[in-house]
Amino acid sequence: MFAVTYIITVFEDETIGEKVEWICLEQSVELPEDVVPDGLLQKITGKPELIEARDAYSWKVVIKWPVENAGASAIQFLNILFGNISLRRGIKIVHVEWDALAHIVTGPQFGIQGIRERLGISDRALSCGVLKPMGSSPQKLAEQAFELAMGGIDIIKDDHGLANQNYAPFKARVEAVTAALSKAERKKGVRAAYFPNITDAPITMQENFGFAHGCGADGVMILPHLCGFESMRLISVQPEKLPIIAHPAYSGMFVTDNTHGYSPEFLYGELTRAFGADFTIYPNTGGRFSFSLETCMAINDAAQSKASPFKTVMSMPGGGVNRKSIPTWVHQYGKDIAFLLGASLARHPQGLRKGAEEVRQMLEKGA
Amino acid sequence: MFAVTYIITVFEDETIGEKVEWICLEQSVELPEDVVPDGLLQKITGKPELIEARDAYSWKVVIKWPVENAGASAIQFLNILFGNISLRRGIKIVHVEWDALAHIVTGPQFGIQGIRERLGISDRALSCGVLKPMGSSPQKLAEQAFELAMGGIDIIKDDHGLANQNYAPFKARVEAVTAALSKAERKKGVRAAYFPNITDAPITMQENFGFAHGCGADGVMILPHLCGFESMRLISVQPEKLPIIAHPAYSGMFVTDNTHGYSPEFLYGELTRAFGADFTIYPNTGGRFSFSLETCMAINDAAQSKASPFKTVMSMPGGGVNRKSIPTWVHQYGKDIAFLLGASLARHPQGLRKGAEEVRQMLEKGA
């Protein structure tokens, strides 16, 4: 059995008892109790373990599910988690106990320790610059990568809108950027890591991974909400492994309604971790999206919780992080964090390299 | 260029002008205007075509996007449609003009006319029975299929929770059910069509499709919100083709918030159609979910709109359709509809076959 924790809100015409019983049936036999064949009710349906009032309208509920209902399929696990119940309001998933699921979902292959070993950075927070915008040529993007690397940025990733457009086709881009980073490495003696966006249709994504790996890319970025979580997990477990940055595009509808969907810490912390991401991007508080500081800290906690059977995930707050605010955020979040810096570096009056240098100095000072 | 229509709600600290401009930048260059390189602003960003007040808080907005921003990727199209903006509240997508996108998304391969030709049913509404529940053996499910077929049901599909569990592994289930339907065909002279659930990880799903096709399955069911829309589209366009039923599991969070996400008619009508479904399941009004009659009719309209460049889609309302109410629904929705009947047939006092017979009689009488 695996346990799922829900915050359930009860509307006018509902009762908590009916709603919990309905979830137990809907996410398993999909039949009213009176037509479930003998023996299957006990064997297949969810079992409520806790129903605890939080206030007049909401309850904390824990339901246990037979692991066998998922077969060996991570997709069927997601179906049990939030398939049909996604269509009824007032159901927020906040936690899963993963131990019984570790044969289906596999967690990060590197984790924070593995990332630090690969990058050779043991004790400070990391920086991640972004190649942008869409519409730029491979050469322009490669020049950006060179400047960022010469300035001492740790990681460089594609903007999440860089796919395989004619502006900068995937292969031409990856070749140009990896070549630029090798050039910077020869000049500077240190290598910035490159994470191209490989997201595409399943087979194409595998091909993209292979191409990026062959060019010497140091990791990959994936948009799991667009290609499917299972496609990300399959990339993570293939024999040739690279660390994965998970990007939250197309995930907002899970978290924008406070009473329905997933809590941000469950989605960007627990679930993204379970499906193999080594880095999890989320919109930092105070940027152009609207998470609270408390939510961001909860995501970091879920990404690193020792209660999980999986390796830890490095949080990558973005969406409008100002380079000057880095010391504040290191103080707040600790050192196991990578800062995503886009417009803030692009806007530096003396250019990307200088911006990256300043960020590096802050990070080395302990920020 | 392709045009997207949004209903945008403006909250306390927002203005419509700022929000529209932000969308135009966020879904393209992902940079504030002042740091977009010369020339790219005009070439890459979205162009507002209409900003029309609906009431004090909401506007109808049309934005046109360069097709080139999607490259040839249906996934990148979804990214432009609702990638990062999914994370900011108050943005509801209600319509896309698909003509300029027909090289990326391909629409149904059969459509209503193709379905009718394959089934040999020219002028009445269709019935679809469901094999359930999870936990039943392949033999039990095959017996259900036989009874439904002998009663004259048109289509039989797996419950959406039937995956590849040990209870009834995919291959054993498909073999048993197709054999039972061949037996019924020999006895009765008419074949009920079987649509097994092939949803799984990408390569497994392709294998499942091939196995089902080889066993003589008449179509397949796919859960596109779980495997990814592009995985469904790729199944639809492969050389050996079968009609596809799209199931709405894991989609609710797009439609439960009235001010954010997709309108139900956009999601279950337009988008599901664009990505290759021949049937679209949605929760019927009055059932165990909460769509209004108006919403259901709007989904049917979007699935069959002549303004689209794609073939039409047959709606499949489900989620608690009572077999006795079929005449009402045919009157309401017309004949280009397939009724999904689960518990209502399971509950018939004289069994599935008798239930299917009654449904068939209603449908043949013009219901």
Side-chain angles (χ1 to χ4, degrees):
Chain A
M1 306 282 273
F2 63 93
V4 179
T5 305
Y6 311 77
I7 302 296
I8 296 184
T9 305
V10 166
F11 300 104
E12 315 75 46
D13 52 344
E14 300 178 330
T15 67
I16 184 66
E18 169 274 320
K19 202 161 181 175
V20 170
E21 189 189 346
W22 178 83
I23 292 171
C24 291
L25 294 166
E26 187 67 33
Q27 297 301 92
S28 57
V29 291
E30 283 189 81
L31 279 172
E33 198 170 325
D34 63 299
V35 278
V36 177
D38 291 346
L40 290 188
L41 204 64
Q42 184 56 31
K43 187 176 161 196
I44 304 296
T45 59
K47 307 288 176 297
E49 288 279 309
L50 175 79
I51 303 180
E52 182 180 279
R54 299 170 77 233
D55 53 44
Y57 305 101
S58 78
W59 278 259
K60 178 180 173 181
V61 173
V62 177
I63 300 175
K64 283 198 165 181
W65 301 93
V67 176
E68 297 75 16
N69 289 8
S73 164
I75 285 184
Q76 173 60 9
F77 158 70
L78 292 175
N79 196 14
I80 295 168
L81 191 66
F82 201 55
N84 272 6
I85 59 171
S86 71
L87 287 151
R88 183 166 170 177
R89 293 181 311 144
I91 301 169
K92 194 88 178 165
I93 293 173
V94 299
H95 177 57
V96 165
E97 281 178 23
W98 296 99
D99 298 273
L101 294 160
H103 63 299
I104 298 178
V105 286
T106 34
Q109 298 295 307
F110 295 91
I112 292 177
Q113 194 185 334
I115 292 164
R116 289 196 174 284
E117 283 166 12
R118 281 178 73 92
L119 296 179
I121 303 170
S122 58
D123 65 347
R124 63 169 174 85
L126 307 181
S127 60
C128 178
V130 187
L131 304 181
K132 55 168 61 188
M134 182 199 292
S136 308
S137 67
Q139 290 66 35
K140 282 275 179 207
L141 298 169
E143 283 165 24
Q144 290 179 20
F146 182 78
E147 290 299 305
L148 287 166
M150 291 303 291
I153 211 90
D154 298 312
I155 299 170
I156 295 166
K157 78 166 195 65
D158 285 344
D159 213 3
H160 93 285
L162 300 185
N164 191 30
Q165 299 98 333
N166 285 338
Y167 312 133
F170 177 77
K171 289 184 178 177
R173 181 171 83 243
V174 173
E175 281 175 342
V177 172
T178 48
L181 293 182
S182 295
K183 188 174 128 198
E185 186 182 3
R186 286 193 299 274
K187 292 208 175 203
K188 199 178 157 74
V190 180
R191 183 169 182 82
Y194 176 42
F195 284 60
N197 174 25
I198 64 167
T199 308
D200 209 317
I203 292 165
T204 315
M205 194 157 117
Q206 291 282 347
E207 290 168 359
N208 288 352
F209 179 90
F211 187 84
H213 190 272
C215 286
D218 308 273
V220 294
M221 180 169 74
I222 295 177
L223 284 49
H225 304 274
L226 280 158
C227 66
F229 263 83
E230 177 64 350
S231 289
M232 177 171 78
R233 194 190 69 81
L234 288 172
I235 291 283
S236 80
V237 296
Q238 58 181 23
E240 299 200 289
K241 294 186 202 312
L242 289 175
I244 294 171
I245 296 175
H247 189 284
Y250 211 71
S251 70
M253 56 284 171
F254 283 102
V255 298
T256 46
D257 180 341
N258 289 331
T259 64
H260 193 61
Y262 296 146
S263 69
E265 53 269 36
F266 176 74
L267 181 53
Y268 305 116
E270 284 191 32
L271 196 64
T272 303
R273 180 179 183 178
F275 277 79
D278 299 283
F279 294 89
T280 182
I281 298 179
Y282 63 80
N284 198 29
T285 189
R288 48 188 207 273
F289 302 96
S290 57
F291 285 178
S292 67
L293 176 60
E294 187 187 9
T295 292
C296 296
M297 308 236 341
I299 296 170
N300 299 346
D301 286 348
Q304 300 184 24
S305 163
K306 298 256 187 306
S308 164
F310 306 124
K311 289 182 180 171
T312 53
V313 177
M314 189 170 270
S315 291
M316 194 176 257
V321 170
N322 186 318
R323 64 181 193 277
K324 292 175 185 165
S325 66
I326 285 179
T328 314
W329 295 121
V330 172
H331 182 73
Q332 191 74 59
Y333 294 155
K335 289 181 177 175
D336 283 333
I337 203 103
F339 296 101
L340 194 56
L341 299 157
S344 173
L345 289 178
R347 212 172 234 161
H348 195 288
Q350 292 162 271
L352 286 177
R353 188 189 300 208
K354 188 69 187 166
E357 280 173 7
E358 286 179 15
V359 167
R360 178 64 173 265
Q361 282 161 13
M362 282 190 254
L363 293 173
E364 295 205 333
K365 268 197 287 188
Chain B
M1 305 282 272
F2 64 94
V4 179
T5 306
Y6 310 78
I7 302 296
I8 296 184
T9 304
V10 166
F11 300 104
E12 315 76 48
D13 52 344
E14 300 178 331
T15 68
I16 185 65
E18 169 273 320
K19 202 160 180 175
V20 170
E21 187 190 347
W22 178 82
I23 292 172
C24 292
L25 294 167
E26 187 67 33
Q27 296 302 93
S28 57
V29 292
E30 283 188 81
L31 279 172
E33 199 171 324
D34 63 298
V35 277
V36 178
D38 290 346
L40 290 187
L41 203 63
Q42 184 56 30
K43 186 175 161 197
I44 303 296
T45 59
K47 307 288 176 298
E49 287 280 307
L50 175 79
I51 303 179
E52 183 181 275
R54 298 170 79 232
D55 54 42
Y57 304 103
S58 77
W59 278 259
K60 178 180 174 183
V61 172
V62 178
I63 300 175
K64 284 199 165 181
W65 300 93
V67 177
E68 297 75 18
N69 288 7
S73 164
I75 285 183
Q76 173 61 9
F77 158 70
L78 292 175
N79 196 14
I80 294 167
L81 192 66
F82 201 55
N84 271 7
I85 59 171
S86 72
L87 287 152
R88 182 165 169 178
R89 293 181 311 143
I91 302 169
K92 193 88 175 166
I93 293 173
V94 299
H95 177 56
V96 165
E97 282 179 22
W98 296 99
D99 297 274
L101 294 159
H103 63 297
I104 298 179
V105 286
T106 36
Q109 298 295 307
F110 295 91
I112 292 177
Q113 193 185 333
I115 293 165
R116 289 198 174 282
E117 284 166 12
R118 282 179 72 93
L119 296 178
I121 303 170
S122 60
D123 65 348
R124 62 170 175 84
L126 308 180
S127 60
C128 179
V130 187
L131 305 181
K132 55 168 58 186
M134 183 199 290
S136 308
S137 67
Q139 290 66 36
K140 283 275 179 208
L141 298 169
E143 283 166 24
Q144 290 179 18
F146 182 78
E147 290 298 305
L148 288 166
M150 291 303 290
I153 211 89
D154 298 312
I155 299 169
I156 294 165
K157 76 165 197 66
D158 286 344
D159 213 3
H160 92 285
L162 301 185
N164 191 31
Q165 299 97 336
N166 285 337
Y167 311 134
F170 177 78
K171 289 184 179 177
R173 181 170 84 244
V174 173
E175 281 176 339
V177 172
T178 50
L181 293 182
S182 295
K183 187 173 130 199
E185 186 182 5
R186 287 193 299 274
K187 292 209 173 199
K188 197 179 158 73
V190 180
R191 182 170 183 82
Y194 176 43
F195 283 60
N197 174 25
I198 65 167
T199 309
D200 209 317
I203 292 165
T204 315
M205 194 156 118
Q206 292 281 347
E207 291 168 359
N208 288 351
F209 179 90
F211 187 84
H213 190 273
C215 286
D218 308 274
V220 294
M221 180 168 75
I222 295 177
L223 284 51
H225 303 274
L226 280 158
C227 66
F229 264 82
E230 177 65 351
S231 290
M232 177 170 79
R233 195 189 69 81
L234 288 171
I235 291 282
S236 79
V237 296
Q238 58 180 24
E240 300 201 290
K241 293 185 202 312
L242 289 175
I244 294 171
I245 297 175
H247 190 285
Y250 211 69
S251 70
M253 56 284 171
F254 283 102
V255 298
T256 46
D257 179 341
N258 289 330
T259 64
H260 193 63
Y262 296 147
S263 69
E265 54 270 36
F266 176 74
L267 181 54
Y268 305 117
E270 285 191 31
L271 195 65
T272 304
R273 181 179 183 178
F275 277 79
D278 298 283
F279 295 89
T280 182
I281 299 179
Y282 63 80
N284 200 28
T285 188
R288 46 185 209 274
F289 301 97
S290 57
F291 285 178
S292 68
L293 176 61
E294 187 188 11
T295 292
C296 295
M297 307 229 354
I299 295 170
N300 299 346
D301 287 348
Q304 299 183 25
S305 164
K306 299 259 188 303
S308 165
F310 305 124
K311 290 182 180 169
T312 53
V313 177
M314 189 170 271
S315 291
M316 194 174 257
V321 170
N322 186 316
R323 63 181 193 277
K324 293 174 183 163
S325 68
I326 285 179
T328 314
W329 295 120
V330 173
H331 182 73
Q332 191 74 58
Y333 294 155
K335 289 181 176 174
D336 283 334
I337 203 104
F339 295 102
L340 194 56
L341 299 157
S344 173
L345 290 178
R347 213 171 233 161
H348 194 288
Q350 293 161 272
L352 285 176
R353 188 188 302 208
K354 189 69 185 163
E357 280 174 6
E358 286 179 14
V359 167
R360 179 62 173 264
Q361 282 161 12
M362 282 190 255
L363 294 172
E364 294 205 334
K365 269 197 286 187

